[in-house]
Amino acid sequence: MSEVTAHRASILHCLRDPSDDKDPLASGSVEYFEDGLLMVADGYVDRLGPAEALLKELPSNVKVVEYGDKLIIPGLIDCHVHYPQIDIIASYGERLLDWLEKYAYPAERKFADPEHAKEVAEFFVQELLRNGTTTACVFATVHPQSVDAIFEAASKYGMRLIAGKVLMDKNCPEDLRDTPETGYEQSRQLIEKWHGRDRLSYAVTPRFAITSSEEQLRQAGRLLKEYPDVYLHTHLAENEEEVAQVARQFPWSRSYLDVYEHFELVRERSVFAHCIHMHDDDRKLMARKGAAMTFCPSSNLFLGSGLFDLQMGRQCGVRVSIGSDVGGGTSLSILRTLGDAYKVLQLKGQSLTPFGALYLATLGSARGLHLEDRIGSFRKEKEADFVVLDASREAITNRRWRETEDIVPRVFALLMLSDDHTVTDTFLKGKRTEDFGWERDSRLVD
Ligand code: GUN
Ligand code: ZN
């Protein structure tokens, strides 16, 4: 007997990229039920439709959870975030390379202590859930125990999480270095231990081209060949100084991406954070290879890195996802990150449409991770990860929501104004995450 629960609320999700559609609701790229019912059977989406019709057919033993006029959307996806940097979020005054030296590396050094890693990982995962993030692609540190800690924390909740040990063997503090050999061996052991367990996947994680020797990048490519279904997660073309240093360090390279390409790191399930300062030929190469760009607007503004070109990314056919990039970014809220994305694109003379924003945070990011057959929308048989949003939790958002009954301006304003306050429930495979023993409101410090 399968366990079925029905959730009744307004329900909204994307079935494909709505960005170019004049009327996404009419064209069917977006589906909206003002009074909808989402039926979940054994953790997977079973049915979605208008509540009135579906309730008539519902067996009497099925539990119906009522959310009034709250809005259910698919779980949010953060495709690039550093859990060890949570304690240096909002650190003053530097751009990327100095910021790494002054803030990021000292924070990461503390993860040599497995107890510290455990405490931070548990805090971080609960914060993701409180913010409505149900899938994340996460940097750990160079220490293998930092990867154990984050996978252990995520698996406790049944969360979908991709993570990996940072590879870096040069141009960083001595005590944060591995070697091509130890980096390879520790990554291999972590893949064997974690990859494919529960909803966890491993990402081979060279920090960026600057902090790896050619031999280390070669070993990263070797891992991808030996374990073809793991991810590759790194940074690419975030900052102009970084790009110039990569050109000096790899004088034979045609471009920054070419360094990764040379070592066969550009392929499906390769996730490149930032991708700001780059050429269209490289965008096209990424598209052909099935690699993804992760747009990290909060971080790009905070570290003064530059303005991401979403239009060129899309025109070149690249999979584009979104990431908070905490601690470069200043919020774990993917909703708030969408607000920053809109503003960055305004400065670029581009637009993030209301449903385009929803797509970026859900199905678009699922595509970036090659997980669109499992998460990102409420198609039948997908994993039932979803969040409940309540526009009335915040006074201004509430007034704005009540000002119109049209879902298009409503959802746009909601996405632009929301953060963790708006998220009232987070579900992983149909299970309310607070039932796993943490309390949403007790986490707010008085
Ligand atoms: N590039 C290399 N390492 C990092 C990091 O930790 N954060 C960001 N934003 N960019 C990087
Ligand atoms: Zn980053």
Side-chain angles (χ1 to χ4, degrees):
M1 269 295 280
S2 62
E3 191 190 318
V4 182
T5 306
H7 302 267
R8 183 177 188 178
S10 295
I11 304 177
L12 179 70
H13 71 146
C14 298
L15 291 162
R16 52 178 192 274
D17 189 351
S19 307
D20 292 330
D21 292 359
K22 273 220 162 56
D23 185 347
L25 292 165
S27 70
S29 53
V30 172
E31 204 171 31
Y32 175 60
F33 300 99
E34 191 178 343
D35 180 14
L37 200 71
L38 175 65
M39 290 171 59
V40 177
D42 296 330
Y44 294 86
V45 176
D46 185 38
R47 288 186 80 177
L48 170 67
E52 210 175 322
L54 291 187
L55 283 170
K56 285 191 189 126
E57 303 167 16
L58 213 60
S60 58
N61 61 341
V62 171
K63 183 175 160 204
V64 180
V65 189
E66 307 264 358
Y67 299 95
D69 62 357
K70 292 182 190 171
L71 179 69
I72 289 179
I73 62 171
L76 304 167
I77 302 176
D78 187 341
C79 288
H80 180 69
V81 57
H82 301 249
Y83 97 85
Q85 294 175 5
I86 194 79
D87 290 334
I88 51 111
I89 189 168
S91 287
Y92 173 75
E94 305 296 345
R95 289 175 189 243
L96 177 64
L97 299 178
D98 294 330
W99 177 87
L100 286 172
E101 295 287 342
K102 191 164 168 185
Y103 300 116
Y105 295 149
E108 295 185 19
R109 190 172 281 127
K110 295 184 184 164
F111 285 71
D113 173 6
E115 286 307 312
H116 178 73
K118 217 170 138 179
E119 189 272 322
V120 177
E122 181 63 30
F123 173 82
F124 175 83
V125 166
Q126 289 188 12
E127 281 300 293
L128 288 183
L129 297 174
R130 211 170 58 74
N131 279 282
T133 297
T134 54
T135 293
C137 188
V138 183
F139 259 62
T141 67
V142 73
H143 314 94
Q145 57 269 36
S146 71
V147 179
D148 288 334
I150 191 68
F151 278 144
E152 268 157 21
S155 71
K156 229 168 87 180
Y157 300 95
M159 185 178 186
R160 190 170 265 294
L161 192 121
I162 301 162
K165 182 202 109 71
V166 170
L167 300 169
M168 50 180 182
D169 66 350
K170 65 187 286 190
N171 294 330
C172 64
E174 200 79 54
D175 58 347
L176 283 175
R177 285 183 202 180
D178 56 10
T179 68
E181 295 73 30
T182 59
Y184 167 83
E185 188 50 33
Q186 290 169 348
S187 302
R188 196 190 62 73
Q189 285 178 16
L190 288 164
I191 293 169
E192 292 285 344
K193 183 169 176 185
W194 292 108
H195 184 65
R197 204 163 131 181
D198 305 325
R199 302 173 84 195
L200 310 175
S201 300
Y202 194 83
V204 174
T205 308
R207 178 169 217 117
F208 61 165
I210 289 176
T211 45
S212 283
S213 63
E214 297 202 1
E215 185 51 28
Q216 180 158 73
L217 295 173
R218 194 167 294 113
Q219 293 299 325
R222 178 178 165 204
L223 284 163
L224 297 184
K225 276 210 198 69
E226 291 171 356
Y227 298 96
D229 61 344
V230 302
Y231 286 82
L232 180 286
H233 187 193
T234 191
H235 298 91
L236 172 63
E238 173 179 3
N239 163 294
E240 280 173 334
E241 256 184 277
E242 169 206 11
V243 175
Q245 188 169 329
V246 170
R248 286 194 297 275
Q249 207 168 305
F250 301 89
W252 48 261
S253 64
R254 179 184 53 76
S255 66
Y256 194 159
L257 184 73
D258 189 43
V259 175
Y260 294 137
E261 167 67 358
H262 180 84
F263 295 103
E264 301 181 75
L265 304 181
V266 185
R267 22 82 94 192
E268 286 187 4
R269 287 180 304 284
S270 292
V271 180
F272 295 98
H274 305 296
C275 303
I276 298 171
H277 308 284
M278 60 190 290
H279 197 272
D280 282 348
D281 289 348
D282 281 342
R283 293 190 175 94
K284 287 176 189 156
L285 177 65
M286 290 179 72
R288 280 199 301 282
K289 299 276 186 168
M293 297 176 165
T294 303
F295 178 17
C296 303
S298 171
S299 167
N300 298 158
L301 293 168
F302 187 75
L303 295 178
S305 300
L307 304 176
F308 180 79
D309 194 333
L310 179 65
Q311 194 174 308
M312 278 326 293
R314 292 184 58 239
Q315 263 173 30
C316 293
V318 193
R319 292 164 193 254
V320 180
S321 51
I322 193 155
S324 68
D325 193 29
V326 163
T330 52
S331 171
L332 279 183
S333 168
I334 286 297
L335 298 171
R336 186 171 280 188
T337 308
L338 288 175
D340 288 335
Y342 181 80
K343 293 166 201 162
V344 163
L345 293 167
Q346 285 284 73
L347 287 170
K348 258 328 238 187
Q350 300 179 14
S351 191
L352 185 61
T353 65
F355 293 131
L358 177 71
Y359 176 79
L360 193 57
T362 56
L363 189 59
S365 282
R367 268 196 90 231
L369 300 174
H370 288 260
L371 288 172
E372 65 272 31
D373 57 338
R374 299 198 187 187
I375 54 171
S377 75
F378 297 133
R379 269 194 204 278
K380 190 174 166 62
E381 289 176 5
K382 283 203 188 184
E383 296 164 6
D385 288 351
F386 58 95
V387 295
V388 183
L389 306 182
D390 182 359
S392 72
R393 294 259 292 202
E394 206 276 322
I396 293 174
T397 315
N398 185 41
R399 278 177 76 95
R400 181 67 180 89
W401 180 264
R402 311 278 155 213
E403 201 270 330
T404 170
E405 294 204 335
D406 183 342
I407 186 62
V408 182
R410 265 190 167 183
V411 89
F412 179 69
L414 185 68
L415 294 178
M416 292 303 109
L417 297 173
S418 285
D419 56 20
D420 54 319
H421 294 100
T422 317
V423 179
T424 62
D425 299 274
T426 306
F427 285 82
L428 293 173
K429 282 186 89 176
K431 291 208 164 66
R432 195 164 164 268
T433 55
E434 277 142 295
D435 296 341
F436 288 85
W438 67 285
E439 283 177 56
R440 188 171 300 267
D441 290 338
S442 73
R443 296 179 62 73
L444 303 175
V445 179
D446 307 320

